Amino acid sequence: AADQATDLKIEFKNGVPVAINGKSMTPAQLIIQMNKYAGDNGVGRIDIMEDRMLGLKVRENYECPGAMVLLNAHKALEALVLTRDELRFKEKVDAQWSELAYQGLWWDPFKDDLEAFIKQTQKRVSGNVNVRLYKGSQTIFGRESPWALYSEDLASFDTTTFDQRESRSEE
């Protein structure tokens, strides 16, 4: 891996990565370029133990540098724009979707139902995520979106924008 970090700005529109460092790309070009960036920085190797459907425990090794960075950045952007309940439920939906895909049940109507929820949440997953790649690690160091639910001003204890007395319930 390089001795210098690589900083990237990944742009998403409706949950789909569309540009790296301001350069728009086709999905194939984007994956190829992200594989290069991440691979050059030693990011993207997975070594797991898994239980197969037949009950066998197996060790699997994968190398998917671009996908790991994009998934991490996507999750960071979702954390900024989705509500707590959406994030909790989406985690369950994603796990169920993965199980159906793993079993090869591509045409199961339940998979379509899950995808409808996912598609709805992705309407707000637009914006930019800054990622630093260095010696096998990836670190999110910034994110922004027009759909952001986070406001530094409102979340600060030093703010005068929001009077916390207004949050009391009327009795």
Side-chain angles (χ1 to χ4, degrees):
D3 288 327
Q4 188 172 351
T6 301
D7 290 345
L8 304 172
K9 182 183 231 177
I10 305 167
E11 181 182 350
F12 290 86
K13 286 190 181 169
N14 299 322
V16 177
V18 295
I20 302 172
N21 294 335
K23 183 179 178 192
S24 296
M25 299 179 205
T26 67
Q29 291 169 330
L30 196 134
I31 291 291
I32 290 167
Q33 187 61 56
M34 190 57 73
N35 278 339
K36 175 90 172 103
Y37 283 131
D40 287 350
N41 284 277
V43 171
R45 291 188 177 168
I46 303 171
D47 182 346
I48 63 171
M49 297 301 296
E50 182 181 43
D51 293 305
R52 291 277 171 91
M53 289 190 313
L54 297 175
L56 300 172
K57 187 164 288 284
V58 296
R59 179 181 182 203
E60 297 180 349
N61 292 283
Y62 299 98
E63 196 163 324
C64 47
M68 286 187 67
V69 174
L70 292 171
L71 288 169
N72 189 37
H74 183 266
K75 190 171 187 170
L77 190 55
E78 283 185 328
L80 179 65
V81 303
L82 299 181
T83 66
R84 172 181 42 203
D85 289 331
E86 286 175 313
L87 289 167
R88 278 191 213 150
F89 190 66
K90 187 167 182 299
E91 188 175 322
K92 294 175 185 177
V93 168
D94 289 347
Q96 188 66 55
W97 187 98
S98 297
E99 187 67 26
L100 291 172
Y102 184 76
Q103 294 173 4
L105 300 173
W106 289 103
W107 311 118
D108 190 309
F110 184 44
K111 186 171 164 289
D112 293 335
D113 299 336
L114 297 172
E115 288 175 349
F117 174 79
I118 294 168
K119 183 178 180 181
Q120 181 64 30
T121 64
Q122 297 309 291
K123 289 180 178 180
R124 297 188 322 271
V125 183
S126 295
N128 296 305
V129 179
N130 297 321
V131 181
R132 177 167 292 135
L133 307 175
Y134 182 67
K135 300 272 188 198
S137 70
Q138 52 178 314
T139 305
I140 304 296
F141 68 94
R143 57 197 120 174
E144 61 186 0
S145 171
W147 298 100
L149 298 177
Y150 170 75
S151 166
E152 184 176 1
D153 186 44
L154 291 176
S156 171
F157 290 110
D158 298 328
T159 186
T160 57
T161 302
F162 175 68
D163 184 347
Q164 294 181 6
R165 292 175 292 187
E166 293 176 14
S167 65
R168 288 188 301 188
S169 64
E170 297 294 323
E171 295 178 24

